[in-house]
Amino acid sequence: MKKLLFLAFVLCSSLLCQAQKERVILGDEQTSEYFPILKGKRIAIFSNHTGMIGDKHLLDILLENKFNVTAIFSPEHGFRGNADAGEHVSSSTDPKTGVPILSLYDGKLGKPNDSSMRKFDLLIVDIQDVGLRFYTYYASMCRLMDACAEYNRKVLVLDRPNPNGHYVDGPILDMKYKSGVGWLPIPVVHGMTLGELALMVNGERWLPASRVCDLTVIPCKNYTHQTMYRLPIPPSPNLPNMKSIYLYPSLCYFEATPVSLGRGTDLPFQIYGHPNMTGYDYSFTPRSVPGAKNPPQLNKLCHGVNLSNLSDEEIWKRGIDLSYVIDAYRNLNMDSHFFRSFFELLIGTDYVRKMIEEGKSADEIKATWKEDVEKFKIQRKPYLLYEE
């Protein structure tokens, strides 16, 4: 009996070790790797509600370990992650710790001002991205990297997995459409972590005036680009689950049309519809809710499509799927009134709208950016920290 119990104990221990070995270990968890870098430095953090190490925020861990945190930079949706997309988030103070929060969305576009930059010596980036060119967290990181390059400040990226890191898809941004939702000449789905992207920004000299910042990346352990990492915390109010994160590359273009993509419902980025769309069984009504106070088609009954029952595998197989936008475009029959100019900023090129208006299929349009995808995969290779 003792022998059996001992064998069971050994088996459980080895399984536990194996699970620990295979669990993705985030950059911020590896405190022994980066605590020595922080000694004697005035530290700023670029983070939000996703910057957790277990059940504690990075900010609290640093303060507990007596590091000198002098500032927090908060991205779109604010430090606590509950503001609407693009909503004005003013600078303030973190009520729990008293550390000043310097918002990047305080009405002044571009980089932090001189007084903000003089508050710190080293910037830590610890934030959960979702790997899409129009998701604004990486653009905020780039602006901060640029400011740090100008002011000779160090940047430390504590890397996190990319939940859409298993593929590359979409056209490379034509830089005449550079904006807050398209900052770099990369495809819509770039398949890189923030750490890899930061290395590429430096290596390709993509910062203004070809500046380069003093950069260190703490990579994840046990992660490859084929690891299907599930986020423990929703990265922003309208990406509440993995289904929305996987559908986001296909549905975000509705932001540049009158069609609702489910903001103000329980299924944001998992449904689409419009009051005048006909021939659908599914309907929904957007309401004013936290994180979507004034959503498109507010309080109007919309008819359309529910994609929340698609399997993850089906969504992964399709990648960017423009058939949803094409379906709504044809159904509404609004011609040139369907797309706003914001569409080009999201898709990053001018030929996609034209091809949709010409009646081309999603597959025909996708074929036109195949070359972009292959070109980018070669270009990004030197900067990858993880196996493809």
Side-chain angles (χ1 to χ4, degrees):
M1 186 67 182
K2 279 183 182 174
K3 201 171 178 183
L4 277 173
L5 283 170
F6 177 71
L7 285 170
F9 173 74
V10 169
L11 184 64
C12 285
S13 298
S14 68
L15 285 171
L16 194 66
C17 286
Q18 186 65 19
Q20 184 65 19
K21 213 158 102 182
E22 287 170 0
R23 182 181 76 82
V24 174
I25 298 167
L26 308 182
D28 65 6
E29 294 180 75
Q30 301 169 56
T31 52
S32 62
E33 296 290 322
Y34 65 90
F35 272 13
I37 301 169
L38 307 182
K39 278 183 185 157
K41 299 278 192 303
R42 295 173 306 149
I43 300 160
I45 299 173
F46 172 54
S47 188
N48 64 358
H49 64 291
T50 64
M52 302 294 286
I53 306 177
D55 59 356
K56 284 188 179 178
H57 197 280
L58 171 71
L59 173 62
D60 300 318
I61 298 270
L62 293 178
L63 293 174
E64 279 172 16
N65 285 275
K66 309 296 185 219
F67 288 109
N68 182 20
V69 183
T70 56
I72 298 161
F73 288 103
S74 69
E76 184 173 21
H77 309 296
F79 188 57
R80 298 297 167 194
N82 53 5
D84 285 11
E87 184 182 352
H88 175 95
V89 181
S90 60
S91 297
S92 58
T93 301
D94 180 46
K96 186 177 175 188
T97 61
V99 178
I101 298 174
L102 310 174
S103 175
L104 297 171
Y105 279 73
D106 63 359
K108 303 181 191 76
L109 288 174
K111 297 179 295 191
N113 63 25
D114 182 71
S115 107
S116 294
M117 293 306 297
R118 294 192 185 282
K119 284 183 166 64
F120 67 95
D121 310 305
L122 178 145
L123 173 75
I124 299 177
V125 176
D126 183 26
I127 193 165
Q128 183 60 60
D129 191 56
V130 297
L132 301 176
R133 192 184 63 223
F134 39 61
Y135 199 63
T136 60
Y137 294 174
Y138 83 91
S140 297
M141 178 184 77
C142 291
R143 286 198 292 270
L144 284 165
M145 284 174 68
D146 188 34
C148 287
E150 275 194 287
Y151 282 83
N152 199 23
R153 302 292 188 257
K154 293 178 185 299
V155 176
L156 172 67
V157 178
L158 305 178
D159 214 11
R160 289 172 168 266
N162 174 356
N164 284 307
H166 53 286
Y167 72 112
V168 176
D169 204 357
I172 289 175
L173 177 69
D174 179 337
M175 292 302 277
K176 75 179 179 190
Y177 294 118
K178 181 179 176 178
S179 73
V181 291
W183 201 256
L184 298 174
I186 57 178
V188 172
V189 183
H190 52 73
M192 300 174 81
T193 66
L194 282 185
E196 291 173 324
L197 207 49
L199 290 168
M200 191 170 188
V201 165
N202 257 1
E204 298 295 311
R205 295 186 170 264
W206 279 341
L207 294 178
S210 299
R211 281 188 281 272
V212 172
C213 77
D214 182 338
L215 175 69
T216 304
V217 178
I218 307 294
C220 302
K221 289 180 177 171
N222 308 327
Y223 174 69
T224 77
H225 283 283
Q226 296 311 309
T227 305
M228 302 313 293
Y229 181 75
R230 303 187 77 82
L231 303 190
I233 299 168
S236 51
N238 289 287
L239 293 178
N241 54 34
M242 295 310 298
K243 198 75 74 185
S244 62
I245 287 165
Y246 296 144
L247 283 166
Y248 188 31
S250 299
L251 294 190
C252 190
Y253 316 105
F254 283 122
E255 305 270 42
T257 75
V259 176
S260 164
L261 46 68
R263 289 183 187 274
T265 74
D266 292 337
L267 295 169
F269 287 95
Q270 296 153 83
I271 58 179
Y272 66 91
H274 185 276
N276 298 338
M277 281 169 60
T278 56
Y280 301 95
D281 296 330
Y282 183 72
S283 57
F284 61 93
T285 305
R287 305 287 186 202
S288 181
V289 297
K293 295 182 186 71
N294 189 27
Q297 306 303 338
L298 177 63
N299 297 327
K300 291 178 184 170
L301 181 67
C302 296
H303 313 286
V305 177
N306 181 354
L307 300 168
S308 67
N309 295 320
L310 280 179
S311 71
D312 292 348
E313 290 73 19
E314 181 68 19
I315 300 168
W316 298 336
K317 193 170 74 183
R318 293 183 187 182
I320 292 178
D321 189 351
L322 291 179
S323 67
Y324 311 127
V325 171
I326 291 168
D327 169 53
Y329 171 77
R330 290 177 181 169
N331 190 284
L332 280 172
N333 202 24
M334 295 169 68
D335 298 324
S336 60
H337 298 292
F338 183 80
F339 291 109
R340 295 192 292 274
S341 57
F342 189 51
F343 182 76
E344 276 69 31
L345 302 186
L346 291 171
I347 198 68
T349 184
D350 56 13
Y351 65 78
V352 174
R353 183 206 295 228
K354 288 174 192 161
M355 290 182 79
I356 292 173
E357 290 174 345
E358 286 164 8
K360 299 285 194 285
S361 71
D363 286 342
E364 284 175 296
I365 298 170
K366 197 168 179 128
T368 59
W369 66 60
K370 193 166 181 275
E371 204 177 301
D372 274 5
V373 167
E374 295 313 313
K375 178 180 151 194
F376 181 72
K377 280 183 175 176
I378 294 164
Q379 187 186 12
R380 74 175 190 163
K381 215 168 183 58
Y383 310 106
L384 294 185
L385 296 167
Y386 314 99
E387 192 182 319
E388 287 184 79

